[in-house]
Amino acid sequence: VANEHMTRALRTISIQRGYDPSQFRLCCFGGAGGLHVCALADAMNMSKAIIPVHGGVLSAFGMLVAPHERQLSKTHTAPLTAVEEDQLLLMFEAMAQQGRAELEHENVDAAEIKTSYSVDLRYRGQSFTLNLPWASPAQLIENFHNTHKARYGHAMAREVEMVNLRVSVTSPGLGISLGQMEEGDGEPDGVISVFGYREPVPVYARSALKLDETLAGPLLIVETVSTTMVEAGWQVRRDRFGNLLLDRRL
């Protein structure tokens, strides 16, 4: 049941947006994410996956390195053919000034702040929107038709309507460099019984894995913050940073 819920979410951000999942490597995170990664990749017809170093606490790690940011929006519903570009630019700039002031209040250097504009668009009568980077109204109409066709497989002979103005104000986060992980001895810590397998499977500490050594599943990889199950039919190797690269065996 859990796998099916996650598979539906993966389809929403891939297939339903016009992307072929088999052309990508599935990135897995969370303390229990590694227990589901092979099953999810199989369900999505994906042959590659990655469990990054510190993957069990990736969200917390991301909070440390994420840029300072403000996302501002303002509703402005009108057909694109009827909007005045100069007026919209004034509205964008007012929102950007607000965002910059908030970041500067947090002691962010003004010289490091970057600003970008975008708009939410839809065909008139639709209930959902697509967000596109700001351009001239004429260019936005063309870009929206192309994006809608790429996302949903078709474009429509309808008027394109603007719904929201959006401004992103950001500055760089902490510059943390991940060092290379020391190579382990490659020896398993023992074996353990796993549901679905008649024979016990070997258990490896992540820190004990050798650099670029390929191990065939089934096996478990354990660490302080997560556990990874490499299923039968899959193989895994560790790169120099400690990331686990999983590939379906041919």
Side-chain angles (χ1 to χ4, degrees), residues 90-112:
L90 289 175
M91 296 170 68
F92 274 130
E93 180 56 29
M95 296 163 65
Q97 288 180 1
Q98 176 186 340
R100 287 194 291 263
E102 292 179 5
L103 290 188
E104 290 177 23
H105 185 68
E106 297 177 358
N107 298 319
V108 173
D109 187 348
E112 294 184 345

PDB file of all heavy atoms in Angstrom, residues 90-112:
ATOM      1  N   LEU A  90       5.926  47.229 -13.058  1.00  0.00           N
ATOM      2  CA  LEU A  90       5.871  48.029 -11.838  1.00  0.00           C
ATOM      3  C   LEU A  90       5.379  47.185 -10.665  1.00  0.00           C
ATOM      4  O   LEU A  90       5.888  47.297  -9.542  1.00  0.00           O
ATOM      5  CB  LEU A  90       4.955  49.230 -12.038  1.00  0.00           C
ATOM      6  CG  LEU A  90       5.470  50.336 -12.972  1.00  0.00           C
ATOM      7  CD1 LEU A  90       4.397  51.399 -13.174  1.00  0.00           C
ATOM      8  CD2 LEU A  90       6.743  50.966 -12.398  1.00  0.00           C
ATOM      9  N   MET A  91       4.410  46.307 -10.914  1.00  0.00           N
ATOM     10  CA  MET A  91       3.895  45.428  -9.860  1.00  0.00           C
ATOM     11  C   MET A  91       4.957  44.422  -9.446  1.00  0.00           C
ATOM     12  O   MET A  91       5.147  44.143  -8.248  1.00  0.00           O
ATOM     13  CB  MET A  91       2.633  44.722 -10.355  1.00  0.00           C
ATOM     14  CG  MET A  91       1.477  45.667 -10.657  1.00  0.00           C
ATOM     15  SD  MET A  91       0.086  44.851 -11.508  1.00  0.00           S
ATOM     16  CE  MET A  91      -0.503  43.766 -10.214  1.00  0.00           C
ATOM     17  N   PHE A  92       5.671  43.864 -10.429  1.00  0.00           N
ATOM     18  CA  PHE A  92       6.762  42.949 -10.113  1.00  0.00           C
ATOM     19  C   PHE A  92       7.807  43.633  -9.230  1.00  0.00           C
ATOM     20  O   PHE A  92       8.274  43.075  -8.229  1.00  0.00           O
ATOM     21  CB  PHE A  92       7.431  42.470 -11.406  1.00  0.00           C
ATOM     22  CG  PHE A  92       6.777  41.284 -12.052  1.00  0.00           C
ATOM     23  CD1 PHE A  92       6.454  41.299 -13.405  1.00  0.00           C
ATOM     24  CD2 PHE A  92       6.491  40.138 -11.324  1.00  0.00           C
ATOM     25  CE1 PHE A  92       5.870  40.198 -14.016  1.00  0.00           C
ATOM     26  CE2 PHE A  92       5.906  39.031 -11.923  1.00  0.00           C
ATOM     27  CZ  PHE A  92       5.587  39.065 -13.270  1.00  0.00           C
ATOM     28  N   GLU A  93       8.192  44.844  -9.593  1.00  0.00           N
ATOM     29  CA  GLU A  93       9.238  45.544  -8.863  1.00  0.00           C
ATOM     30  C   GLU A  93       8.819  45.861  -7.432  1.00  0.00           C
ATOM     31  O   GLU A  93       9.618  45.757  -6.498  1.00  0.00           O
ATOM     32  CB  GLU A  93       9.631  46.829  -9.593  1.00  0.00           C
ATOM     33  CG  GLU A  93      10.723  47.641  -8.907  1.00  0.00           C
ATOM     34  CD  GLU A  93      11.998  46.848  -8.665  1.00  0.00           C
ATOM     35  OE1 GLU A  93      12.300  45.909  -9.436  1.00  0.00           O
ATOM     36  OE2 GLU A  93      12.711  47.171  -7.675  1.00  0.00           O
ATOM     37  N   ALA A  94       7.551  46.220  -7.222  1.00  0.00           N
ATOM     38  CA  ALA A  94       7.068  46.486  -5.867  1.00  0.00           C
ATOM     39  C   ALA A  94       7.145  45.229  -5.009  1.00  0.00           C
ATOM     40  O   ALA A  94       7.546  45.280  -3.835  1.00  0.00           O
ATOM     41  CB  ALA A  94       5.633  47.005  -5.925  1.00  0.00           C
ATOM     42  N   MET A  95       6.782  44.086  -5.584  1.00  0.00           N
ATOM     43  CA  MET A  95       6.875  42.822  -4.850  1.00  0.00           C
ATOM     44  C   MET A  95       8.322  42.474  -4.568  1.00  0.00           C
ATOM     45  O   MET A  95       8.673  42.001  -3.471  1.00  0.00           O
ATOM     46  CB  MET A  95       6.205  41.714  -5.655  1.00  0.00           C
ATOM     47  CG  MET A  95       4.707  41.908  -5.851  1.00  0.00           C
ATOM     48  SD  MET A  95       4.022  40.882  -7.185  1.00  0.00           S
ATOM     49  CE  MET A  95       4.277  39.238  -6.526  1.00  0.00           C
ATOM     50  N   ALA A  96       9.205  42.698  -5.547  1.00  0.00           N
ATOM     51  CA  ALA A  96      10.619  42.389  -5.374  1.00  0.00           C
ATOM     52  C   ALA A  96      11.239  43.239  -4.275  1.00  0.00           C
ATOM     53  O   ALA A  96      12.054  42.750  -3.480  1.00  0.00           O
ATOM     54  CB  ALA A  96      11.367  42.590  -6.694  1.00  0.00           C
ATOM     55  N   GLN A  97      10.874  44.498  -4.208  1.00  0.00           N
ATOM     56  CA  GLN A  97      11.393  45.373  -3.154  1.00  0.00           C
ATOM     57  C   GLN A  97      10.995  44.872  -1.784  1.00  0.00           C
ATOM     58  O   GLN A  97      11.792  44.904  -0.841  1.00  0.00           O
ATOM     59  CB  GLN A  97      10.901  46.805  -3.383  1.00  0.00           C
ATOM     60  CG  GLN A  97      11.548  47.515  -4.560  1.00  0.00           C
ATOM     61  CD  GLN A  97      11.029  48.922  -4.731  1.00  0.00           C
ATOM     62  OE1 GLN A  97      10.192  49.394  -3.964  1.00  0.00           O
ATOM     63  NE2 GLN A  97      11.515  49.620  -5.758  1.00  0.00           N
ATOM     64  N   GLN A  98       9.769  44.400  -1.652  1.00  0.00           N
ATOM     65  CA  GLN A  98       9.318  43.842  -0.379  1.00  0.00           C
ATOM     66  C   GLN A  98      10.153  42.627   0.007  1.00  0.00           C
ATOM     67  O   GLN A  98      10.599  42.489   1.153  1.00  0.00           O
ATOM     68  CB  GLN A  98       7.840  43.450  -0.458  1.00  0.00           C
ATOM     69  CG  GLN A  98       7.315  42.775   0.807  1.00  0.00           C
ATOM     70  CD  GLN A  98       5.893  42.268   0.637  1.00  0.00           C
ATOM     71  OE1 GLN A  98       5.157  42.718  -0.255  1.00  0.00           O
ATOM     72  NE2 GLN A  98       5.498  41.329   1.482  1.00  0.00           N
ATOM     73  N   GLY A  99      10.370  41.734  -0.961  1.00  0.00           N
ATOM     74  CA  GLY A  99      11.163  40.532  -0.682  1.00  0.00           C
ATOM     75  C   GLY A  99      12.592  40.851  -0.329  1.00  0.00           C
ATOM     76  O   GLY A  99      13.165  40.273   0.602  1.00  0.00           O
ATOM     77  N   ARG A 100      13.203  41.779  -1.059  1.00  0.00           N
ATOM     78  CA  ARG A 100      14.592  42.160  -0.765  1.00  0.00           C
ATOM     79  C   ARG A 100      14.711  42.778   0.616  1.00  0.00           C
ATOM     80  O   ARG A 100      15.663  42.502   1.351  1.00  0.00           O
ATOM     81  CB  ARG A 100      15.101  43.107  -1.846  1.00  0.00           C
ATOM     82  CG  ARG A 100      15.387  42.441  -3.178  1.00  0.00           C
ATOM     83  CD  ARG A 100      16.195  43.357  -4.095  1.00  0.00           C
ATOM     84  NE  ARG A 100      15.390  44.488  -4.540  1.00  0.00           N
ATOM     85  CZ  ARG A 100      14.750  44.536  -5.698  1.00  0.00           C
ATOM     86  NH1 ARG A 100      14.806  43.495  -6.522  1.00  0.00           N
ATOM     87  NH2 ARG A 100      14.064  45.601  -6.060  1.00  0.00           N
ATOM     88  N   ALA A 101      13.730  43.608   0.989  1.00  0.00           N
ATOM     89  CA  ALA A 101      13.768  44.235   2.309  1.00  0.00           C
ATOM     90  C   ALA A 101      13.703  43.192   3.420  1.00  0.00           C
ATOM     91  O   ALA A 101      14.398  43.303   4.449  1.00  0.00           O
ATOM     92  CB  ALA A 101      12.613  45.233   2.442  1.00  0.00           C
ATOM     93  N   GLU A 102      12.902  42.149   3.219  1.00  0.00           N
ATOM     94  CA  GLU A 102      12.794  41.094   4.234  1.00  0.00           C
ATOM     95  C   GLU A 102      14.099  40.322   4.368  1.00  0.00           C
ATOM     96  O   GLU A 102      14.517  39.967   5.479  1.00  0.00           O
ATOM     97  CB  GLU A 102      11.640  40.164   3.887  1.00  0.00           C
ATOM     98  CG  GLU A 102      10.273  40.824   4.009  1.00  0.00           C
ATOM     99  CD  GLU A 102       9.142  39.880   3.643  1.00  0.00           C
ATOM    100  OE1 GLU A 102       9.415  38.685   3.382  1.00  0.00           O
ATOM    101  OE2 GLU A 102       7.976  40.332   3.605  1.00  0.00           O
ATOM    102  N   LEU A 103      14.753  40.031   3.240  1.00  0.00           N
ATOM    103  CA  LEU A 103      16.029  39.315   3.309  1.00  0.00           C
ATOM    104  C   LEU A 103      17.113  40.188   3.932  1.00  0.00           C
ATOM    105  O   LEU A 103      17.922  39.701   4.732  1.00  0.00           O
ATOM    106  CB  LEU A 103      16.451  38.861   1.911  1.00  0.00           C
ATOM    107  CG  LEU A 103      15.633  37.754   1.262  1.00  0.00           C
ATOM    108  CD1 LEU A 103      16.297  37.297  -0.032  1.00  0.00           C
ATOM    109  CD2 LEU A 103      15.471  36.563   2.197  1.00  0.00           C
ATOM    110  N   GLU A 104      17.142  41.455   3.591  1.00  0.00           N
ATOM    111  CA  GLU A 104      18.146  42.346   4.173  1.00  0.00           C
ATOM    112  C   GLU A 104      17.940  42.479   5.673  1.00  0.00           C
ATOM    113  O   GLU A 104      18.901  42.649   6.429  1.00  0.00           O
ATOM    114  CB  GLU A 104      18.085  43.717   3.496  1.00  0.00           C
ATOM    115  CG  GLU A 104      18.584  43.691   2.046  1.00  0.00           C
ATOM    116  CD  GLU A 104      18.459  45.038   1.372  1.00  0.00           C
ATOM    117  OE1 GLU A 104      18.415  46.062   2.096  1.00  0.00           O
ATOM    118  OE2 GLU A 104      18.385  45.073   0.126  1.00  0.00           O
ATOM    119  N   HIS A 105      16.682  42.390   6.126  1.00  0.00           N
ATOM    120  CA  HIS A 105      16.388  42.413   7.564  1.00  0.00           C
ATOM    121  C   HIS A 105      16.984  41.194   8.259  1.00  0.00           C
ATOM    122  O   HIS A 105      17.238  41.226   9.467  1.00  0.00           O
ATOM    123  CB  HIS A 105      14.880  42.466   7.777  1.00  0.00           C
ATOM    124  CG  HIS A 105      14.471  42.610   9.213  1.00  0.00           C
ATOM    125  ND1 HIS A 105      14.702  43.750   9.963  1.00  0.00           N
ATOM    126  CD2 HIS A 105      13.868  41.722  10.053  1.00  0.00           C
ATOM    127  CE1 HIS A 105      14.258  43.581  11.189  1.00  0.00           C
ATOM    128  NE2 HIS A 105      13.735  42.353  11.275  1.00  0.00           N
ATOM    129  N   GLU A 106      17.219  40.113   7.504  1.00  0.00           N
ATOM    130  CA  GLU A 106      17.852  38.908   8.061  1.00  0.00           C
ATOM    131  C   GLU A 106      19.368  38.929   7.858  1.00  0.00           C
ATOM    132  O   GLU A 106      20.032  37.904   7.931  1.00  0.00           O
ATOM    133  CB  GLU A 106      17.266  37.664   7.389  1.00  0.00           C
ATOM    134  CG  GLU A 106      15.785  37.482   7.651  1.00  0.00           C
ATOM    135  CD  GLU A 106      15.201  36.285   6.922  1.00  0.00           C
ATOM    136  OE1 GLU A 106      15.964  35.623   6.170  1.00  0.00           O
ATOM    137  OE2 GLU A 106      14.002  35.998   7.104  1.00  0.00           O
ATOM    138  N   ASN A 107      19.906  40.120   7.588  1.00  0.00           N
ATOM    139  CA  ASN A 107      21.357  40.336   7.423  1.00  0.00           C
ATOM    140  C   ASN A 107      21.926  39.680   6.171  1.00  0.00           C
ATOM    141  O   ASN A 107      23.107  39.326   6.125  1.00  0.00           O
ATOM    142  CB  ASN A 107      22.128  39.850   8.660  1.00  0.00           C
ATOM    143  CG  ASN A 107      21.752  40.592   9.921  1.00  0.00           C
ATOM    144  OD1 ASN A 107      21.575  41.815   9.886  1.00  0.00           O
ATOM    145  ND2 ASN A 107      21.622  39.876  11.030  1.00  0.00           N
ATOM    146  N   VAL A 108      21.096  39.517   5.151  1.00  0.00           N
ATOM    147  CA  VAL A 108      21.567  39.027   3.867  1.00  0.00           C
ATOM    148  C   VAL A 108      22.161  40.207   3.094  1.00  0.00           C
ATOM    149  O   VAL A 108      21.576  41.292   3.047  1.00  0.00           O
ATOM    150  CB  VAL A 108      20.426  38.389   3.054  1.00  0.00           C
ATOM    151  CG1 VAL A 108      20.887  38.034   1.647  1.00  0.00           C
ATOM    152  CG2 VAL A 108      19.904  37.154   3.776  1.00  0.00           C
ATOM    153  N   ASP A 109      23.348  39.994   2.519  1.00  0.00           N
ATOM    154  CA  ASP A 109      24.004  41.035   1.746  1.00  0.00           C
ATOM    155  C   ASP A 109      23.165  41.360   0.510  1.00  0.00           C
ATOM    156  O   ASP A 109      22.839  40.484  -0.280  1.00  0.00           O
ATOM    157  CB  ASP A 109      25.396  40.560   1.326  1.00  0.00           C
ATOM    158  CG  ASP A 109      26.223  41.651   0.655  1.00  0.00           C
ATOM    159  OD1 ASP A 109      25.649  42.703   0.305  1.00  0.00           O
ATOM    160  OD2 ASP A 109      27.432  41.443   0.478  1.00  0.00           O
ATOM    161  N   ALA A 110      22.829  42.633   0.337  1.00  0.00           N
ATOM    162  CA  ALA A 110      21.996  43.054  -0.787  1.00  0.00           C
ATOM    163  C   ALA A 110      22.619  42.684  -2.126  1.00  0.00           C
ATOM    164  O   ALA A 110      21.913  42.390  -3.096  1.00  0.00           O
ATOM    165  CB  ALA A 110      21.739  44.553  -0.719  1.00  0.00           C
ATOM    166  N   ALA A 111      23.951  42.683  -2.199  1.00  0.00           N
ATOM    167  CA  ALA A 111      24.636  42.383  -3.453  1.00  0.00           C
ATOM    168  C   ALA A 111      24.461  40.914  -3.863  1.00  0.00           C
ATOM    169  O   ALA A 111      24.667  40.567  -5.026  1.00  0.00           O
ATOM    170  CB  ALA A 111      26.117  42.725  -3.341  1.00  0.00           C
ATOM    171  N   GLU A 112      24.105  40.056  -2.915  1.00  0.00           N
ATOM    172  CA  GLU A 112      23.953  38.628  -3.201  1.00  0.00           C
ATOM    173  C   GLU A 112      22.520  38.240  -3.571  1.00  0.00           C
ATOM    174  O   GLU A 112      22.261  37.092  -3.922  1.00  0.00           O
ATOM    175  CB  GLU A 112      24.407  37.798  -2.005  1.00  0.00           C
ATOM    176  CG  GLU A 112      25.898  37.905  -1.695  1.00  0.00           C
ATOM    177  CD  GLU A 112      26.311  36.981  -0.569  1.00  0.00           C
ATOM    178  OE1 GLU A 112      25.408  36.483   0.146  1.00  0.00           O
ATOM    179  OE2 GLU A 112      27.509  36.737  -0.423  1.00  0.00           O
TER     180      GLU A 112
END
